[in-house]
Amino acid sequence: MSNVEVDPQETMLPGHEPPCEGLEVLEPRDVPLGGPRAMTVRRTLPQKQRSLIGAWCFADHYGPDDVSSSGGMDVPPHPHIGLQTVSWLFTGEIEHRDTLGTHELVRPGEVNLMTGGYGIAHSEVSTPDTTTLHGAQLWVALPEANRNAPKAFQHHAPTPLRVDGATVSVFLGSLAGDTSPVETFTPLLGAEVTVDAGATTTLELDPAYEHGILVDSDGVTVNGHAVGPGAMAYLPVGVPTLTLRAGDRPGRVLVLGGEPFEEDIVMWWNFVGRSHEDIATAREEWMAHSERFGEVEGYAGDVQHLPAPALPGVRIRPRTKPSGQTSGS
């Protein structure tokens, strides 16, 4: 996976609260998922400016996508190691199948979390009734002690709660007095927050966490900064509160957080490892249809086993934890 150089523009709006010290704006880059009509996603993690936020190592934001034009989502069976996938939708519906035998729908406001430690494979297909797709696909890196965890799948539909002019749905960790039952291997936060039109809301944050605020709507300010749709505001450790302000329309964001992830990781294609050899071995075993990943049953597409790309001609380098306000590649 490649990162993108960015030159964030931070804007202070008249009459708004002072900007948060240390806030960075991570601008997205457009990435086509492939296929003849190629649904495009906006990727904010990983990138050269910052590779991880807590253990969150990958963030794609997509839509609203007109399925009649793009063809929707149709991702054949493909593998993962060393991570958890977190699927969250605003609009539409996606059918998930994996090598545990799980057959589950991803629906708006309901989280699907899949653990692909030692190895798992799954397919993702938007349902025939879906006309618009809009949501986020997120990955969490597993720590060394758990990076070979067995296959697992969790589904949870959080109950939205009202907090000072906003609606909050907590799908991982704790926020605004609510806690998700979904299990993770490092301390994490994942929540959708929708602020009423013209309203301002302030939420208490865990100061031991760093946070990424993935913005979905126009007119949103994050701790005094205007942040455009698809961009992510980074808040460093020690920031005690999150203040969100909406414009003339409701403003929606995803709040992602976690304790700083201290381990270097190697990311390539759909794999998270610790060395080039980890990645090369996983690729070889996937291409050999190894029992490590298993087979996905019930996927109706023509490609039943997505081929892995060729490895680069050089060793894949680790992504290192940022020092201060800069990150390793």
Side-chain angles (χ1 to χ4, degrees):
M1 294 184 184
S2 58
N3 295 330
V4 58
E5 296 284 351
V6 299
D7 182 18
Q9 301 299 311
E10 300 177 352
T11 304
M12 177 70 168
L13 298 185
H16 284 204
E17 61 275 3
C20 168
E21 183 179 358
L23 185 147
E24 302 171 13
V25 177
L26 309 180
E27 298 292 349
R29 65 185 179 96
D30 290 342
V31 179
L33 287 185
R37 291 183 285 182
M39 188 179 96
T40 298
V41 301
R42 295 172 292 279
R43 184 164 297 163
T44 46
L45 287 178
Q47 57 174 276
K48 190 171 184 178
Q49 183 176 348
R50 186 161 297 279
S51 295
L52 298 100
I53 297 176
W56 297 99
C57 61
F58 182 92
D60 275 356
H61 172 246
Y62 54 88
D65 181 72
D66 181 356
V67 170
S68 66
S69 299
S70 71
M73 182 178 294
D74 187 353
V75 185
H78 59 282
H80 292 289
I81 66 166
L83 57 84
Q84 291 180 305
T85 64
V86 180
S87 301
W88 185 261
L89 279 177
F90 304 128
T91 308
E93 195 173 65
I94 296 172
E95 184 179 45
H96 164 100
R97 297 177 184 270
D98 64 36
T99 49
L100 278 168
T102 307
H103 180 204
E104 181 67 74
L105 293 177
V106 186
R107 298 184 178 93
E110 303 180 8
V111 67
N112 278 6
L113 183 146
M114 183 183 73
T115 300
Y118 181 65
I120 198 169
H122 70 139
S123 62
E124 300 161 290
V125 181
S126 51
T127 61
D129 292 337
T130 295
T131 58
T132 302
L133 266 182
H134 188 187
Q137 182 63 52
L138 312 163
W139 294 357
V140 175
L142 294 178
E144 176 64 30
N146 307 104
R147 71 184 180 99
N148 288 319
K151 301 176 178 69
F153 182 88
Q154 300 173 73
H155 175 87
H156 174 57
T159 300
L161 61 145
R162 291 290 298 170
V163 180
D164 296 333
T167 301
V168 179
S169 295
V170 181
F171 53 87
L172 293 182
S174 299
L175 185 69
D178 192 25
T179 298
S180 167
V182 177
E183 296 179 359
T184 59
F185 292 94
T186 54
L188 291 174
L189 169 62
E192 176 186 314
V193 180
T194 302
V195 183
D196 299 343
T200 300
T201 189
T202 297
L203 301 168
E204 291 187 6
L205 299 177
D206 187 333
Y209 284 16
E210 54 186 352
H211 293 85
I213 316 303
L214 179 59
V215 175
D216 180 59
S217 310
D218 284 316
V220 173
T221 66
V222 179
N223 284 15
H225 290 260
V227 183
M232 181 182 288
Y234 169 77
L235 303 178
V237 167
V239 175
T241 57
L242 168 65
T243 298
L244 299 169
R245 184 189 296 265
D248 295 336
R249 294 181 293 177
R252 181 165 55 195
V253 305
L254 291 183
V255 181
L256 310 175
E259 293 182 354
F261 194 78
E262 302 291 346
E263 303 173 23
D264 291 352
I265 61 172
V266 174
M267 286 184 64
W268 178 83
W269 195 40
N270 299 312
F271 301 145
V272 173
R274 295 301 185 276
S275 68
H276 179 95
E277 287 73 22
D278 287 344
I279 302 301
T281 298
R283 181 192 182 279
E284 180 180 355
E285 293 185 353
W286 169 248
M287 294 300 288
H289 293 251
S290 164
E291 291 183 1
R292 175 177 184 175
F293 298 101
E295 298 292 335
V296 176
E297 301 292 337
Y299 172 71
D302 294 334
V303 178
Q304 293 292 316
H305 193 268
L306 190 67
L311 285 169
V314 296
R315 290 183 63 82
I316 306 168
R317 296 187 301 165
R319 300 178 183 274
T320 60
K321 179 180 179 294
S323 174
Q325 298 303 311
T326 60
S327 71
S329 59

